[in-house]
Amino acid sequence: MSDLAIQNITYLPGVGPKRADLFRDELKIVSYEDLLYYFPYKYVDRSKLYTIREVNAKLPYIQVKGKITVLKTIGEGRQSRLSVMFSDGTGTIELVWFKGNKHIKESLKTDAEYIVFGKPSAFNGQINIMHPEMDQVKEGEVKIASGLQAFYNTTEKMKRQYLNSKAIQKLQQNIFSSFKGMVPETLPARILERYKLLKLHDALSTIHFPADSQTLEKAQFRLKFEELLYIQLNILRIRNQRNRKIKGHHFEKVGDFLNTFYTDKLPFELTNAQKRVIKEIRRDMGSGIQMNRLLQGDVGSGKTLVALMVMLIALDNTFQASIMAPTEILATQHFETIIEMLEGLNVKVALLTGSTKKKERTRIDQELQSGELQILIGTHALIEDRVKFKNLGLTVIDEQHRFGVAQRARLWKKNYQPPHVLVMTATPIPRTLAMTIYGDLDVSVIDELPPGRKPIETAHYFHNRRNNLNKFIKGELDKGRQVYVVYPLIEESEKMDFKNLAEGYEYMQRVFPEYKVSMVHGKMRPAEKDQAMQEFASMRSQILVSTTVIEVGVNVPNASVMVIESAERFGLSQLHQLRGRVGRGADQSFCILMTSYKLSDGTRKRMEIMTRTTDGFEIAEADMKLRGPGDLEGTQQSGLPFSLKIANLGKDGQILQFARQVAEAILDDDPLLEKQENFILNKQLKKLAREKMNWSMIS
Ligand code: ADP
Ligand code: MG
């Protein structure tokens, strides 16, 4: 029994072709190994035996030990049920079966002792247990009925074939008894010893048959640690390989462009956080190694300015720079901000999007290749093959989570030697997740907002307070402020959503006749969209009714109110992003979340978090706890490139941290895992890369 991975479960006692098909179709379980790694989702403590006198209907799962006193079938045909009176000397309880009665009746013995396990309920004053588990008390087979019992998820289809949780546990037992020897170890002996970890064999047998909760915890720890260790090893090794193979453009100096900008142009003092991250980025770009850095900073923390300043360093070293944004609105806005900030500096900047005219495109193509054009700002259009730089030294990707990994990779190819890459995101990613999906990137964080910002006040209104809302909006408009009203728009209910949006637009026009209302949505032509945005940005309109196209990056500092309609339909981090559109100036800003009365618990929780805090990291952590990391917004598009079987990024931060440290120590000593003592790690990494994880996607 050496390779559990190729041993087909069809041949496992208790399985056979029919069940093997079910396992494959329902749970993608094919081999012994697959089944062994199908872990329980919960455990019930079966170490306690209740006396029947103690049992009441409020208790969760319980077990009692005793004998059958009466056994009879009541009723006829399909309506019939099996009723068993069961007693232990302290009292009597009724056990009831509606399904499989005949079979069960034949299997039960009145002279034997049983341990009965199930959920008690009450009917007509009599305590009963429906469909209990019955274990005849025999020497040597107490394993299942004592300690913690594992519960496994199964599907309806499986249950119909009696492949329930209990059956799966029996099969786990069959695996262990059908092969002699140990499950081959997957961690080096020295690691097991140093960190006092359970052997794989023991961890797996404990996870299915825990003797007590202490050993179970040890088993869980070993398996979680291993899972996270391999992910970290993989990410960090890729980074090592990359740093060896790829040299970075060496930006050795800061020159006139940055110096002049800093002394003559910068309209305000940089925050300390901005200064710090600029230093970190400069250090990378001057190190000779290619930079791959993630810049995280909450909405409004001033990432664009950081991007601009480090692009100027590229220019000072006679390289070109580019910045890519996910939407045309945002690219255009960056273009305008940057042009304005660089006025008089003699830097040539261009904007390239899907709607750039042909003539302009040709000019851009030419000037990029001649090197005349120094900064290119754009959307996805930037990664097309026809876009060729003379000497691209730095590329910035704004709102990185909106792009797939593949798109990021294409920017690498824009120079004979890849440019430095700075990816920016305002969607705060919890540390654990960043260490896992972006583990190959170095991380800089802007953890400070520019001074003078007042935290946005957030309120949650039900629809019946619309008149109050309108009064409030009127007050803000009369003070000269501007207002966003955002509607959800999702593809499945697109028609309805458009109707709501259009009605909202008309409604605002009706309620505020003295003010001008603009509207933007994703289906408008770029020129129309642009025009509507421009109206709002230049104060020609005071109210902007829109879909989430304005979610990302849009900057209109005079806007002080964000109304989010049907807020229940947005996720936490999307709400946070939308809210970040206001609070960009010195005035007090407000966010109002409008919902209907009927809210699910999850929604209520989201509204509660939003009204309580404006801290993006706190929101991201809460989001991860509420939804689970696989669902985390901002990772949906790239997706988690692997599935975790046992570790949970929301809860196992400490184990992850530990795994990371161990991985770093191993790789410091042996960067490519070539030493004999790391053979097992190398082999296991290859196996995982082949079978389980789409790891090539990570970097
Ligand atoms: P984000 O990080 O969300 O992309 P922006 O770069 O759009 O934030 O910056 C938000 C606003 O803050 C902009 O109007 C910008 O000019 C301003 N800003 C950036 N840095 C500072 C600073 N150090 N002091 C004052 N205002 C700043
Ligand atoms: Mg931004």
Side-chain angles (χ1 to χ4, degrees):
M1 173 48 55
S2 62
D3 203 346
L4 293 160
I6 54 169
Q7 195 91 354
N8 195 305
I9 51 160
T10 314
Y11 308 109
L12 179 67
V15 180
K18 224 171 140 189
R19 284 183 153 190
D21 284 352
L22 263 177
F23 268 124
R24 186 197 56 218
D25 298 343
E26 298 293 291
L27 301 176
K28 296 202 182 82
I29 289 174
V30 178
S31 67
Y32 277 40
E33 187 182 84
D34 294 338
L35 187 57
L36 266 180
Y37 278 82
Y38 191 64
F39 296 144
Y41 72 96
K42 72 166 183 188
Y43 298 88
V44 171
D45 187 354
R46 295 197 63 174
S47 58
K48 181 168 169 60
L49 264 186
Y50 282 82
T51 58
I52 290 180
R53 192 175 26 196
E54 288 175 292
V55 174
N56 63 61
K58 287 196 195 102
L59 289 170
Y61 287 89
I62 53 110
Q63 57 187 355
V64 290
K65 190 162 123 184
K67 286 188 174 173
I68 294 170
T69 52
V70 185
L71 182 115
K72 62 175 184 231
T73 305
I74 299 172
E76 297 222 358
R78 297 171 96 227
Q79 301 291 322
S80 71
R81 67 174 202 268
L82 176 64
S83 164
V84 168
M85 300 315 278
F86 188 82
S87 70
D88 68 350
T90 71
T92 302
I93 194 171
E94 187 189 12
L95 311 175
V96 185
W97 283 266
F98 294 97
K99 277 192 234 158
N101 318 354
K102 206 165 151 239
H103 175 69
I104 290 162
K105 190 174 181 183
E106 280 160 16
S107 70
L108 292 177
K109 299 182 193 126
T110 43
D111 53 355
E113 202 175 16
Y114 286 93
I115 289 179
V116 170
F117 174 74
K119 167 89 187 78
S121 52
F123 185 71
N124 280 347
Q126 165 77 54
I127 302 287
N128 63 36
I129 301 182
M130 280 202 272
H131 291 247
E133 280 180 23
M134 305 289 288
D135 284 308
Q136 197 178 334
V137 181
K138 268 194 249 163
E139 220 102 330
E141 245 204 283
V142 281
K143 215 171 187 180
I144 292 180
S146 70
L148 295 168
Q149 183 175 345
F151 277 77
Y152 299 84
N153 277 316
T154 60
T155 65
E156 280 309 311
K157 261 194 186 155
M158 292 172 70
K159 284 194 191 97
R160 257 178 264 140
Q161 300 295 320
Y162 302 101
L163 251 183
N164 52 18
S165 176
K166 184 96 193 277
I168 289 186
Q169 189 174 48
K170 186 82 188 87
L171 294 176
Q172 300 288 8
Q173 206 175 33
N174 292 352
I175 290 187
F176 281 100
S177 53
S178 77
F179 72 89
K180 306 280 173 280
M182 306 277 277
V183 179
E185 185 50 59
T186 45
L187 287 175
R190 66 171 204 288
I191 302 235
L192 296 183
E193 275 162 36
R194 188 174 316 155
Y195 304 111
K196 304 206 170 20
L197 300 171
L198 287 187
K199 290 202 176 75
L200 181 63
H201 182 92
D202 298 338
L204 287 174
S205 80
T206 302
I207 212 87
H208 296 294
F209 307 104
D212 54 65
S213 56
Q214 266 171 329
T215 341
L216 176 61
E217 243 168 69
K218 274 191 158 173
Q220 286 170 327
F221 184 85
R222 138 90 209 211
L223 295 167
K224 287 175 177 184
F225 168 76
E226 171 171 1
E227 192 167 44
L228 297 169
L229 177 73
Y230 277 108
I231 290 171
Q232 292 303 319
L233 279 174
N234 183 64
I235 294 170
L236 296 172
R237 187 167 65 156
I238 288 173
R239 182 159 77 175
N240 283 347
Q241 278 164 340
R242 189 175 65 203
N243 289 349
R244 285 178 169 220
K245 230 175 17 213
I246 299 168
K247 285 228 211 67
H249 299 289
H250 195 196
F251 294 178
E252 51 198 13
K253 63 171 186 208
V254 165
D256 285 349
F257 287 121
L258 185 65
N259 284 332
T260 316
F261 177 79
Y262 191 73
T263 43
D264 297 353
K265 293 282 166 195
L266 194 61
F268 31 64
E269 179 78 6
L270 292 176
T271 62
N272 286 329
Q274 283 171 320
K275 284 184 196 157
R276 188 186 66 240
V277 304
I278 289 173
K279 222 181 264 168
E280 286 165 356
I281 295 166
R282 260 183 68 184
R283 197 172 52 220
D284 278 6
M285 297 191 307
S287 71
I289 291 174
Q290 184 219 10
M291 173 173 77
N292 276 281
R293 191 168 276 279
L294 172 70
L295 175 58
Q296 285 196 47
D298 213 341
V299 281
S301 61
K303 295 184 294 295
T304 317
L305 183 63
V306 170
L308 175 61
M309 290 178 64
V310 299
M311 286 198 289
L312 291 176
I313 300 177
L315 268 52
D316 279 335
N317 290 273
T318 66
F319 283 89
Q320 293 163 300
S322 72
I323 178 164
M324 180 163 82
T327 64
E328 191 152 345
I329 291 177
L330 193 53
T332 308
Q333 188 180 291
H334 280 333
F335 178 67
E336 281 160 4
T337 318
I338 288 175
I339 290 267
E340 198 186 308
M341 285 194 149
L342 294 181
E343 213 191 304
L345 264 190
N346 204 17
V347 176
K348 193 137 191 192
V349 187
L351 174 68
L352 179 68
T353 69
S355 46
T356 304
K357 296 267 159 30
K358 204 170 163 209
K359 214 169 121 199
E360 170 77 353
R361 266 214 84 133
T362 315
R363 188 181 65 84
I364 290 176
D365 285 346
Q366 280 166 2
E367 292 185 359
L368 264 188
Q369 287 187 49
S370 73
E372 200 180 329
L373 191 55
Q374 291 154 296
I375 294 179
L376 183 63
I377 297 168
T379 54
H380 297 77
L382 225 120
I383 51 178
E384 285 168 24
D385 286 336
R386 66 176 280 185
V387 179
K388 293 198 174 73
F389 293 82
K390 175 163 184 252
N391 199 5
L392 180 65
L394 166 67
T395 184
V396 181
I397 306 173
D398 195 14
E399 306 298 346
Q400 124 83 21
H401 63 283
R402 299 263 147 171
F403 294 100
V405 178
Q407 289 168 319
R408 177 151 55 108
R410 284 181 71 179
L411 281 167
W412 279 45
K413 305 213 175 85
K414 293 287 176 190
N415 202 345
Y416 68 96
Q417 183 179 312
H420 294 298
V421 180
L422 179 67
V423 302
M424 308 200 294
T425 181
T427 302
I429 302 160
R431 238 186 95 64
T432 51
L433 197 61
M435 269 165 61
T436 316
I437 22 179
Y438 299 125
D440 63 324
L441 303 178
D442 295 302
V443 181
S444 289
V445 182
I446 307 186
D447 49 7
E448 181 188 359
L449 293 180
R453 301 265 173 88
K454 297 194 182 78
I456 302 161
E457 275 178 32
T458 304
H460 171 205
Y461 280 18
F462 293 114
H463 284 314
N464 63 336
R465 291 183 68 193
R466 192 162 293 279
N467 286 341
N468 296 39
L469 175 68
N470 288 341
K471 246 182 256 160
F472 173 72
I473 291 177
K474 175 97 173 35
E476 287 294 299
L477 290 169
D478 289 349
K479 280 190 235 160
R481 309 281 142 69
Q482 288 163 283
V483 177
Y484 292 102
V485 184
V486 177
Y487 284 84
L489 175 64
I490 52 167
E491 266 158 40
E492 296 93 77
S493 53
E494 199 173 85
K495 265 204 181 133
M496 251 327 261
D497 284 343
F498 262 121
K499 191 164 158 271
N500 291 344
L501 179 77
E503 281 172 6
Y505 176 56
E506 281 165 26
Y507 178 79
M508 292 308 273
Q509 284 176 318
R510 234 181 312 122
V511 180
F512 303 103
E514 64 275 47
Y515 291 103
K516 184 160 165 46
V517 188
S518 303
M519 173 165 74
V520 261
H521 57 78
K523 290 280 157 67
M524 284 161 81
R525 276 185 284 123
E528 288 174 324
K529 242 192 286 185
D530 198 45
Q531 196 191 343
M533 275 311 299
Q534 280 309 326
E535 267 177 10
F536 188 68
S538 65
M539 265 295 272
R540 274 173 288 146
S541 68
Q542 292 74 36
I543 300 171
L544 182 67
V545 175
S546 82
T547 57
T548 53
V549 290
I550 59 127
E551 174 190 344
V552 160
V554 172
N555 190 24
V556 180
N558 189 53
S560 65
V561 182
M562 166 62 64
V563 180
I564 303 176
E565 297 285 349
S566 304
E568 60 264 53
R569 290 178 52 200
F570 293 95
L572 262 184
S573 79
Q574 213 177 6
L575 290 171
H576 178 66
Q577 287 288 317
L578 286 168
R579 178 168 62 181
R581 295 312 106 217
V582 297
R584 316 197 124 231
D587 300 315
Q588 178 62 54
S589 290
F590 305 89
C591 173
I592 290 102
L593 308 166
M594 298 296 287
T595 71
S596 60
Y597 272 126
K598 275 197 190 156
L599 297 181
S600 69
D601 286 350
T603 307
R604 219 173 279 280
K605 193 95 211 234
R606 291 205 301 282
M607 299 305 132
E608 188 262 311
I609 291 164
M610 283 297 292
T611 49
R612 189 186 68 217
T613 179
T614 54
D615 179 334
F617 279 88
E618 194 182 334
I619 289 172
E621 298 279 353
D623 200 20
M624 190 150 99
K625 292 218 172 88
L626 278 178
R627 294 150 56 104
D631 269 345
L632 202 68
E633 264 177 83
T635 59
Q636 278 159 339
Q637 273 139 346
S638 50
L640 268 180
F642 42 79
S643 60
L644 294 170
K645 280 203 168 3
I646 185 161
N648 176 328
L649 294 179
K651 293 180 186 147
D652 298 323
Q654 278 186 332
I655 305 178
L656 175 62
Q657 191 76 40
F658 173 55
R660 172 91 167 191
Q661 279 165 11
V662 174
E664 277 169 355
I666 293 171
L667 290 170
D668 274 351
D669 176 57
D670 182 12
L672 301 179
L673 299 177
E674 291 161 329
K675 290 190 181 171
Q676 183 56 32
E677 62 179 28
N678 290 324
F679 177 75
I680 209 174
L681 294 174
N682 205 341
K683 185 175 143 201
Q684 191 66 6
L685 270 179
K686 279 196 194 123
K687 179 175 176 227
L688 292 172
R690 219 171 35 235
E691 290 170 5
K692 304 246 159 72
M693 310 189 176
N694 191 1
W695 273 357
S696 56
M697 289 295 291
I698 293 184
S699 68

